[in-house]
Amino acid sequence: MKHSNTKLFVGLDVHKDSIAVAYAPEQRGAEIISLGNFGTRQCDIDKLLKKLLAHGQDLVFAYEAGPCGYWLHRYLSKKDHTSLVVAPSLIPKRPVDRVKTDRRDAIMLARTLRAGDLTTVYVPNVEDEAIRDLSRARESGKRDLRAAKLRLKSFLLRLDIRFEGTANWGPKYLRWLGNVACETPAQQFVFQEYIHAITERNERVERIEAELHNQIDAWRLKPVVVAIQSMRGIQFVTAATLIAELGDVTRFAHPKELMNFVGLTASEHSSGRKRKLGGITKAGNSHARRVLVRHVSSLMRHSVS
């Protein structure tokens, strides 16, 4: 039986190889139906849409933001269906519910979607997401570089090979590394491998930064990246990373919304007349927050010195 005017709220529990599906009719109190699991190929999604359209023409989908990205949201939107990507940490959950399955998660999403209790996340367009991926690749490259440097320093410390001065990876320290000789051939080999790892990771970061410059030149948000570099201490990489994470900043109606997005607002635990403020919430976009905190810390160090 086909109900052309029925609105269906569809919950999707998305995984790498499967999607658990449940839908809730618009009528409050109507039974929520589980459709089982579907594949993640486009032909599987088309099969799901065909099955859902047999019950209603107005489909509203919701699934949790996660490692599978936004491809499903974009595919459903391309099919002219409403699709919402929701924040997993903000989904209402009953504390007494100790059973978790894909089927129950899909049903819960359909129920809360119908009730209007889900909080959506910002979905960037393909071009903005590409710049964000590039900036995050640089961030992971810098993290790998720091880890490689730490391994080398730990190795030298175990061998009691010490540099007289500050090991800040400046020219003086690099010249000293070039003259290091270990006691055994095996240890010398390990030392050279650690040096090679640092060199390779450093070259990787340089390649990514060069590509980031090239891509930003053709990006629609380049004027914003250029504009915020006029602020004290903000250079290109910081500006590019920040805007890549924030996307279209005009979607924030107030600075408080921006601070909430990056988790820089104070936490609070108040009861009655007592009001207690704690540290920052650290909720939201950790990449943008890390860039901002690092920038402020750098400014404070320079102002003290």
Side-chain angles (χ1 to χ4, degrees):
M1 182 177 179
K2 189 170 183 177
H3 305 280
S4 59
N5 296 324
T6 302
K7 187 174 187 178
L8 300 181
F9 296 92
V10 186
L12 306 173
D13 190 41
V14 181
H15 296 279
K16 177 183 176 182
D17 299 316
S18 66
I19 302 175
V21 183
Y23 72 86
E26 186 175 13
Q27 296 79 12
R28 298 284 177 171
E31 182 184 2
I32 300 176
I33 307 299
S34 174
L35 294 182
N37 291 342
F38 289 77
T40 56
R41 299 172 299 174
Q42 290 186 2
C43 61
D44 298 320
I45 305 302
D46 291 337
K47 179 181 177 181
L48 169 62
L49 291 175
K50 184 178 180 181
K51 195 167 187 177
L52 288 169
L53 288 172
H55 300 279
Q57 293 297 304
D58 190 0
L59 305 180
V60 180
F61 295 87
Y63 69 94
E64 298 179 15
C68 293
Y70 305 121
W71 69 268
L72 182 56
H73 165 80
R74 292 177 178 135
Y75 187 74
L76 293 172
S77 299
K78 187 178 179 181
K79 295 287 186 177
D80 296 325
H81 297 295
T82 302
S83 174
L84 306 176
V85 184
V86 301
S89 60
L90 299 180
I91 297 176
K93 293 181 176 66
R94 294 181 299 179
V96 296
D97 194 353
R98 301 295 182 181
V99 179
K100 184 185 185 305
T101 64
D102 295 347
R103 178 180 178 274
R104 289 170 67 94
D105 286 347
I107 291 175
M108 178 269 299
L109 280 171
R111 180 185 297 112
T112 51
L113 176 61
R114 181 174 63 183
D117 292 335
L118 294 178
T119 302
T120 60
V121 301
Y122 171 70
V123 178
N125 61 37
V126 176
E127 292 76 17
D128 293 355
E129 187 178 20
I131 297 296
R132 191 184 68 178
D133 288 339
L134 191 57
S135 69
R136 289 184 180 182
R138 179 199 172 272
E139 185 178 358
S140 64
K142 292 289 286 186
R143 187 165 54 247
D144 292 344
L145 177 60
R146 287 192 296 269
K149 289 179 177 179
L150 181 60
R151 281 193 292 270
L152 175 62
K153 286 185 176 181
S154 299
F155 174 75
L156 294 176
L157 182 61
R158 290 197 304 272
L159 300 183
D160 195 30
I161 300 177
R162 302 173 183 268
F163 175 70
E164 298 298 331
T166 304
N168 57 1
W169 299 93
K172 185 177 180 181
Y173 183 66
L174 294 177
R175 286 195 298 271
W176 176 81
L177 285 176
N179 296 322
V180 168
C182 298
E183 187 174 354
T184 67
Q187 291 170 329
Q188 188 67 27
F189 175 83
V190 172
F191 171 75
Q192 293 298 335
E193 284 299 307
Y194 282 151
I195 291 292
H196 176 73
I198 293 173
T199 302
E200 191 279 331
R201 284 161 174 76
N202 193 55
E203 292 174 349
R204 175 191 172 197
V205 171
E206 291 177 352
R207 290 195 305 269
I208 295 175
E209 288 186 357
E211 185 62 21
L212 187 60
H213 275 85
N214 293 334
Q215 295 296 330
I216 290 292
D217 284 339
W219 193 29
R220 67 183 183 90
L221 294 179
K222 177 186 176 181
V224 186
V225 175
V226 174
I228 67 171
Q229 290 182 63
S230 62
M231 300 174 66
R232 180 187 174 191
I234 294 185
Q235 299 180 344
F236 170 77
V237 171
T238 300
T241 302
L242 187 59
I243 298 304
E245 295 296 335
L246 297 180
D248 185 4
V249 294
T250 59
R251 60 194 173 93
F252 300 109
H254 192 276
K256 287 184 178 180
E257 294 183 7
L258 174 58
M259 292 299 100
N260 288 334
F261 178 76
V262 297
L264 290 178
T265 53
S267 59
E268 181 176 351
H269 184 78
S270 301
S271 179
R273 295 183 178 181
K274 294 182 180 179
R275 185 169 184 246
K276 182 179 179 181
L277 297 178
I280 60 175
T281 61
K282 295 185 179 180
N285 192 299
S286 60
H287 299 276
R289 181 174 62 255
R290 191 158 41 246
V291 168
L292 289 171
V293 170
R294 190 182 301 132
H295 169 65
V296 172
S297 300
S298 177
L299 287 179
M300 292 178 65
R301 286 196 302 270
H302 284 85
S303 62
V304 171
S305 60

